[in-house]
Amino acid sequence: MHPQGLASVGLPLWFCSKVENVKAVPKGQDLLEGEGKKKSMMKKMMRQIQDEPLDSLSSSVRRQAMETLTQLSHTQPILGVRERAELVNTCVRSVFSLPSVQAMQERDEAKAEDIQTLYHQTLDALQTLLNALFIEDPTPAGLKSILEPLGPWMNSGKTHERARAVNSNVSVLNHTLLTLPFFMSSGFPALGLLLGRLILRIGDPDEEIGREALDGITILYTILELQKRARDKEETNKKELYESNKRFLGPYNPVSPCQNILRVIAEFGDFLGPQQVKDLLLAALEGLKGSSEARGKDSGEMMQLASEVTLSSVLEWYRHRALEVIPEIMQGIYMQLSHIQEPRAREVALLPVSLLASSFMTEVVVALLMCPLPLDSNGAEMWRQLILRKPSCDVRDLLDLLLTSLKEKPVTKKGRASIVPLAAASGLCELLSVNSCVCRVRRIYPQLLLALLIQVHYHIGLNLPGRVAPRKDAKTDTQPPAFVPVHWVVKVVKTLLLKMGCSYEATSLEDQGGWELMGQAENHHRGVSLLARAMVHYSCQELCRILYLLIPLLERGDEKHKITATAFFVELLQMEQVRRIPEEYSLGRMVEGLSHRDPVMKVLSIRGLVILACRAEKTAKVQALLPSMVKGLKNVDGVLVVEAVHNLKTIFKGQDRKLMDSSVYVEMLQVLLPHFSDLREDVRLSCINIYGKVVQKLRPPRTQAMEEQLINTLVPLLLIMQEGNTKVGQKCVKTLFRCSCFMTWELPKKAYSWKPWDKQPQAVAKICKYLVNTHQENAFNFLGQSLEYTKNSRASLRKSSVMFIGSLVPCMESIMTEDWLNEVKGALENLRHDPEASVCICAAQAQDHILASCWRNSWPLPRGDSWMCDPATTHRWSPSCENLPTSHQRRSWIMQALNSWKMSLKQ
């Protein structure tokens, strides 16, 4: 173009004059300035192109701007890959988006001829620009940056857009062939994608597009042949080679274009490596996007046929080459399915899944395990494709692979979370929805069930990486519930049971809340036990197989693995078939569990022994283990203790009281007592209630251990009775009464009342007086217990313990020691700053009561002390301490301690 012509589209004359001398290469600072000016001019031209309307062609601005860009391509420095791709994308979009020539002519019939001329000029300008950009950077990366933006347009639903894209692709390939100045050592860039897109266009409803696409493939084949011969240093005539290849690949067959497709795929085999095969398959999937309505029914069907022929022939002939890229192929299919809506098109898109799985099932399954979780409809359909379509893979081998994955831990040795077991569970759930698979699942049903139950335990509280964020429902615009892995595994367990015909068991578990328990850390073993119990109750056919499978599992794995297996095994001990099992695997395993470091295992072992005790031949052996069972419950969580004791009732009832060693009862009481102050109301109620029932079983003569244990129960029951809970209060009264009956105590009547002490202060004073007078040797024990309760987390217990101390200490004045008094002082001081106001008030009152009582009973207050309201102070009665009888003079340390305490209070 003449410099004046360049200036007419916005280029400055200083630059236009330099365009003429394309050989001038700037250096140093000039190079930097030239680069900046070139980029600035390029962006200006691109803006002009972008400003042009996309629905009409009324001016030559678009053409002139592309001609200017063509001239700019001859100048230094050359464009980068990203800049070139952006430039091509802008120009291609501006031209390809235009309506068809016929549509534009119909809109403005008066300028029909001018429109056609301008349209062809614009297309030529675009093609010239693309060719010039290739000459600017004749490298594989440069060619790729030009061809890539053209790709999506080749699958457009509009015929004129596909025609323009194919024409431009073929033109660039032809220009590459004619000017091929380089040797592409890395191979032709994006060969698979380009070949796949051109192959699909062979099957285009428009014959002209199909014919031109086949010509483009011939050119591409010729380029590849030239590259191959260049490596072998053979001299070749390009034109003769092209004509030869054109005859070799055959003429275009508009009646049966699939024949051309098959021939092309067969002949390109020498140039297709793993990556090319993968790209070719994914390019074939691109032709399935969109709906038949948008393309037209005939067009849609032809595209589906072309895609199907391409996919099936590529995988039939080159399947072995796809082995190393199977994960990428599966990922590509998954991504493309989101854009394919037609049922028939989706079937075609899923063909590679079944075709590849028939030869490389392990690799395909491993790739499917990487699908985002939770599985959406696309991922689920890919799993079902494994057995729904022919050729299907061997279902037996498929299920074995999933079982192997389900046996993995979801946490690797390096502490990283793994989605493999959860993905395997999800895949199994989808396979179970296929009826033909259900009968094959029964073969390994016991293994699958146990593996899933163990996975439930592993996934409790586990958050997994690489998960798809929940998507909003397009219809309701609502956010789905958060994805919790353990809930998903529980769902798979439920699905497996239902598919195996265990609907009664599943319903029973639902009614008892077993599914929820199974997914909770502290209740998992209970949920598993409920399931096993239900299966025994309904005589599940597979129980024998499960029983024999569990025996070796009890010794394998980590703690979670063993707990789940033991929880299931214990319930199966009810079966008659257990008699056939050697005793070391039933009774022996349960005995070992009693000394296990995990409390849950101890409780499960007790449950197992209780079940075995129902068998006549095992009763005596189990009863002999009762002391060990009870001893094992010390320092165990309250819920587990209640669970274990509930099971032990059977053995206690079955034993002869005369033969029963009373020490077992005492140990049981020692186990229950610490849980009287448990934060959980149901635990407190159960332990206090069971405690009373055990006391009821005690028989004379009373041993020292019995007496000490029941005396130690007095303070806890009295304090807990005051917590304000009617149910707990009633149980405390009942248990206290049973203790009194056995010990022949004559407690004050007020001791059996749960009415608040702050409304009847005389009641607590009477109780304390009775305790000190009757059990003086245990008085400090009572004080120690009440001091411990001042540290309890529940305010009601802190309050009742403070009131109790306030009345107990004055009753102990004759035996009080300095250390104990200091401890009481420290405890009450702390409680005066308690967050609960009522506790603060009671602490202050207790201090006042203790000081007032001690001074009143032992010596007068010093003159002028108005700290507390004492009758002696009010009446100015102040005899000196030295004048008191000897019997009323107190030891000096008590005076010093009380004075010190009183002074600290005044501060």
Side-chain angles (χ1 to χ4, degrees):
M1 181 180 282
H2 192 272
Q4 293 293 337
L6 294 176
S8 66
V9 292
L11 281 170
L13 285 171
W14 65 264
F15 185 82
C16 301
S17 62
K18 288 186 178 182
V19 169
E20 290 183 304
N21 187 12
V22 295
K23 294 182 181 179
V25 180
K27 296 181 180 179
Q29 186 65 29
D30 293 338
L31 181 64
L32 295 175
E33 292 178 2
E35 181 180 2
K37 291 173 182 176
K38 179 175 179 178
K39 288 184 178 180
S40 175
M41 188 55 57
M42 185 184 76
K43 289 181 179 178
K44 185 175 182 181
M45 293 299 100
M46 288 173 64
R47 280 196 298 271
Q48 287 188 6
I49 293 172
Q50 289 170 340
D51 291 341
E52 286 295 292
L54 298 178
D55 59 350
S56 64
L57 186 61
S58 56
S59 73
S60 61
V61 173
R62 187 185 277 109
R63 172 181 61 80
Q64 290 176 337
M66 287 190 290
E67 289 174 349
T68 302
L69 288 169
T70 300
Q71 292 295 333
L72 284 171
S73 69
H74 298 317
T75 64
Q76 293 290 335
I78 65 173
L79 295 174
V81 173
R82 184 181 300 176
E83 293 165 336
R84 187 181 300 106
E86 183 183 358
L87 172 60
V88 173
N89 211 17
T90 300
C91 296
V92 165
R93 180 176 179 274
S94 179
V95 176
F96 286 6
S97 297
L98 290 171
S100 64
V101 177
Q102 183 180 357
M104 290 189 289
Q105 288 175 328
E106 289 175 355
R107 189 183 302 172
D108 193 352
E109 295 181 358
K111 298 181 179 179
E113 191 173 339
D114 294 339
I115 289 174
Q116 186 168 12
T117 301
L118 182 58
Y119 172 74
H120 287 301
Q121 290 175 347
T122 304
L123 273 184
D124 289 343
L126 173 62
Q127 200 55 57
T128 303
L129 172 61
L130 296 178
N131 293 340
L133 290 173
F134 171 67
I135 295 300
E136 181 189 32
D137 182 20
T139 63
L143 182 57
K144 185 178 180 182
S145 67
I146 296 169
L147 293 176
E148 260 189 355
L150 301 175
W153 294 94
M154 294 176 72
N155 290 313
S156 170
K158 299 176 181 179
T159 303
H160 61 275
E161 291 181 357
R162 297 198 304 275
R164 291 165 187 166
V166 171
N167 179 265
S168 293
N169 265 286
V170 173
S171 180
V172 171
L173 287 173
N174 190 50
H175 190 71
T176 304
L177 174 62
L178 295 175
T179 60
L180 195 65
F182 62 94
F183 173 65
M184 292 179 285
S185 59
S186 59
F188 194 90
L191 171 61
L193 284 174
L194 178 59
L195 178 61
R197 288 163 178 165
L198 287 171
I199 284 175
L200 290 183
R201 296 281 61 82
I202 293 177
D204 199 281
D206 189 307
E207 290 185 16
E208 288 302 318
I209 295 177
R211 186 171 283 105
E212 189 164 16
L214 182 58
D215 188 49
I217 289 172
T218 304
I219 296 171
L220 178 61
Y221 190 80
T222 303
I223 293 173
L224 295 173
E225 279 278 298
L226 286 170
Q227 290 293 303
K228 183 179 178 182
R229 296 187 182 193
R231 282 194 295 269
D232 299 335
K233 297 181 180 180
E234 295 181 19
E235 292 292 332
T236 309
N237 184 297
K238 295 180 182 179
K239 186 175 181 181
E240 290 179 1
L241 182 60
Y242 166 74
E243 293 296 335
S244 172
N245 288 335
K246 192 171 184 179
R247 292 189 299 271
F248 179 64
L249 292 174
Y252 174 68
N253 185 349
V255 178
S256 180
C258 289
Q259 295 298 323
N260 294 111
I261 292 175
L262 290 170
R263 181 65 183 270
V264 167
I265 293 173
E267 298 304 332
F268 266 79
D270 290 343
F271 306 108
L272 299 177
Q275 288 298 325
Q276 287 73 35
V277 169
K278 183 251 313 180
D279 289 343
L280 182 52
L281 291 172
L282 297 183
L285 295 177
E286 290 180 0
L288 299 170
K289 292 181 182 179
S291 62
S292 297
E293 294 178 2
R295 294 176 179 271
K297 184 177 179 182
D298 294 338
S299 175
E301 289 179 355
M302 291 184 71
M303 290 308 305
Q304 288 175 16
L305 180 59
S307 294
E308 184 173 3
V309 169
T310 302
L311 290 170
S312 56
S313 58
V314 168
L315 289 173
E316 181 180 350
W317 296 332
Y318 312 121
R319 190 180 310 177
H320 59 285
R321 302 184 191 179
L323 176 59
E324 65 184 67
V325 290
I326 284 177
E328 297 168 60
I329 294 173
M330 294 299 118
Q331 184 182 12
I333 294 171
Y334 176 81
M335 299 300 293
Q336 294 285 9
L337 282 173
S338 301
H339 308 287
I340 302 173
Q341 308 303 328
E342 294 289 331
R344 173 58 185 155
R346 289 180 70 86
E347 287 182 16
V348 173
L350 289 165
L351 266 178
V353 178
S354 53
L355 287 170
L356 286 170
S358 63
S359 299
F360 311 113
M361 184 176 62
T362 301
E363 289 75 13
V364 171
V365 169
V366 169
L368 290 180
L369 290 174
M370 296 300 109
C371 277
L373 298 174
L375 285 179
D376 57 11
S377 58
N378 298 326
E381 204 166 351
M382 290 177 73
W383 275 105
R384 293 194 295 271
Q385 182 73 11
L386 294 174
I387 52 178
L388 276 176
R389 297 283 177 267
K390 299 295 182 183
S392 63
C393 58
D394 189 304
V395 178
R396 174 190 287 261
D397 293 342
L398 173 60
L399 291 172
D400 287 341
L401 276 174
L402 289 179
L403 178 59
T404 301
S405 298
L406 284 171
K407 290 178 179 178
E408 292 183 19
K409 291 178 66 174
V411 179
T412 63
K413 293 180 179 178
K414 295 182 179 179
R416 296 177 181 175
S418 167
I419 68 168
V420 170
L422 182 60
S426 302
L428 175 64
C429 193
E430 294 307 322
L431 296 180
L432 287 170
S433 65
V434 181
N435 291 331
S436 61
C437 182
V438 173
C439 59
R440 305 289 183 91
V441 170
R442 194 172 296 280
R443 177 182 64 88
I444 55 171
Y445 168 51
Q447 293 95 317
L448 286 173
L449 178 61
L450 293 175
L452 284 169
L453 290 174
I454 292 167
Q455 286 300 333
V456 170
H457 204 168
Y458 281 142
H459 281 84
I460 294 173
L462 190 65
N463 294 315
L464 298 175
R467 184 182 61 79
V468 174
R471 294 183 287 270
K472 285 189 176 181
D473 191 306
K475 296 181 180 179
T476 61
D477 194 37
T478 56
Q479 193 77 14
F483 174 65
V484 182
V486 67
H487 293 170
W488 189 263
V489 185
V490 169
K491 175 190 171 185
V492 179
V493 175
K494 192 185 302 185
T495 303
L496 179 64
L497 283 174
L498 293 173
K499 288 295 181 178
M500 293 295 102
C502 299
S503 57
Y504 289 120
E505 290 88 336
T507 304
S508 173
L509 216 60
E510 191 81 49
D511 295 341
Q512 299 178 72
W515 297 119
E516 289 75 18
L517 293 175
M518 198 178 289
Q520 299 168 1
E522 65 279 7
N523 291 315
H524 170 74
H525 70 282
R526 296 185 182 94
V528 173
S529 295
L530 284 174
L531 172 59
R533 211 170 298 163
M535 294 178 77
V536 172
H537 177 74
Y538 290 106
S539 304
C540 176
Q541 296 177 355
E542 304 294 338
L543 281 182
C544 280
R545 293 173 61 198
I546 295 175
L547 175 64
Y548 293 121
L549 179 66
L550 275 169
I551 292 173
L553 282 181
L554 296 175
E555 293 299 321
R556 298 177 188 169
D558 57 13
E559 295 304 307
K560 291 183 177 181
H561 186 287
K562 289 178 180 177
I563 286 173
T564 303
T566 303
F568 206 105
F569 177 77
V570 160
E571 299 302 325
L572 300 191
L573 293 174
Q574 302 174 59
M575 298 168 57
E576 283 299 316
Q577 289 81 354
V578 172
R579 297 179 187 275
R580 305 175 193 166
I581 299 175
E583 193 173 85
E584 63 181 291
Y585 295 126
S586 55
L587 184 65
R589 286 279 170 80
M590 297 301 101
V591 173
E592 289 176 11
L594 293 178
S595 57
H596 200 281
R597 63 176 177 274
D598 193 310
V600 175
M601 288 293 287
K602 292 180 180 179
V603 173
L604 289 173
S605 299
I606 290 173
R607 166 72 179 164
L609 289 169
V610 169
I611 293 173
L612 290 173
C614 297
R615 302 185 183 281
E617 68 275 13
K618 297 282 196 302
T619 303
K621 293 181 180 179
V622 173
Q623 287 180 343
L625 294 168
L626 192 55
S628 300
M629 287 188 261
V630 174
K631 191 175 293 184
L633 294 176
K634 289 182 178 178
N635 303 317
V636 173
D637 180 72
V639 176
L640 294 174
V641 167
V642 172
E643 182 180 349
V645 173
H646 178 75
N647 287 316
L648 286 172
K649 285 181 184 177
T650 308
I651 300 179
F652 278 113
K653 288 179 181 177
Q655 276 201 321
D656 189 336
R657 289 183 182 180
K658 295 178 180 179
L659 300 176
M660 175 71 80
D661 185 358
S662 62
S663 62
V664 175
Y665 287 127
V666 174
E667 283 196 6
M668 178 69 78
L669 296 177
Q670 290 172 352
V671 167
L672 292 168
L673 183 59
H675 302 291
F676 281 17
S677 56
D678 195 286
L679 292 175
R680 294 158 293 192
E681 180 184 333
D682 55 335
V683 174
R684 297 199 301 277
L685 276 170
S686 298
C687 288
I688 294 170
N689 183 46
I690 296 170
Y691 195 96
K693 291 182 177 180
V694 174
V695 170
Q696 225 174 356
K697 290 182 175 291
L698 295 176
R699 290 291 178 269
R702 297 197 302 260
T703 64
Q704 183 180 354
M706 286 183 192
E707 292 181 354
E708 288 178 357
Q709 179 59 36
L710 295 185
I711 289 172
N712 288 338
T713 310
L714 279 168
V715 171
L717 286 176
L718 290 169
L719 298 182
I720 294 167
M721 204 183 296
Q722 290 294 310
E723 73 173 37
N725 187 315
T726 304
K727 290 182 180 179
V728 175
Q730 289 174 343
K731 294 294 182 186
C732 286
V733 169
K734 201 170 184 179
T735 299
L736 182 60
F737 179 75
R738 286 171 174 169
C739 291
S740 297
C741 291
F742 181 76
M743 295 294 292
T744 63
W745 291 331
E746 295 181 0
L747 289 167
K749 290 184 179 179
K750 295 292 184 180
Y752 301 106
S753 171
W754 62 84
K755 291 181 180 179
W757 282 342
D758 48 6
K759 293 182 180 179
Q760 44 177 0
Q762 298 82 7
V764 65
K766 288 182 179 179
I767 295 171
C768 290
K769 187 175 181 180
Y770 170 83
L771 292 178
V772 174
N773 291 339
T774 310
H775 306 284
Q776 187 171 358
E777 69 280 5
N778 296 108
F780 287 111
N781 186 29
F782 297 150
L783 181 58
Q785 286 179 305
S786 55
L787 284 170
E788 279 300 312
Y789 276 99
T790 62
K791 304 169 187 175
N792 196 278
S793 59
R794 288 172 31 233
S796 60
L797 282 178
R798 295 199 301 275
K799 178 182 174 182
S800 58
S801 63
V802 166
M803 296 175 69
F804 187 82
I805 291 170
S807 296
L808 182 65
V809 171
C811 297
M812 296 172 62
E813 63 169 327
S814 61
I815 59 173
M816 182 59 67
T817 66
E818 183 177 7
D819 291 339
W820 277 106
L821 189 61
N822 287 333
E823 192 170 344
V824 171
K825 172 188 172 183
L828 295 180
E829 276 292 327
N830 291 333
L831 290 170
R832 288 188 64 179
H833 306 285
D834 195 90
E836 179 64 36
S838 61
V839 176
C840 298
I841 294 171
C842 289
Q845 290 175 344
Q847 285 180 325
D848 288 350
H849 185 61
I850 292 171
L851 288 171
S853 176
C854 289
W855 284 104
R856 182 170 55 247
N857 295 334
S858 305
W859 56 81
L861 287 171
R863 180 182 294 276
D865 192 340
S866 59
W867 176 69
M868 59 185 174
C869 208
D870 187 80
T873 310
T874 307
H875 294 91
R876 303 280 188 259
W877 179 61
S878 55
S880 126
C881 179
E882 288 80 3
N883 296 330
L884 288 171
T886 305
S887 60
H888 285 74
Q889 293 182 17
R890 307 302 297 154
R891 287 167 293 182
S892 62
W893 70 263
I894 293 185
M895 285 194 65
Q896 291 171 3
L898 290 171
N899 270 314
S900 172
W901 190 358
K902 185 166 72 72
M903 293 303 295
S904 67
L905 288 174
K906 293 175 71 175
Q907 292 173 1

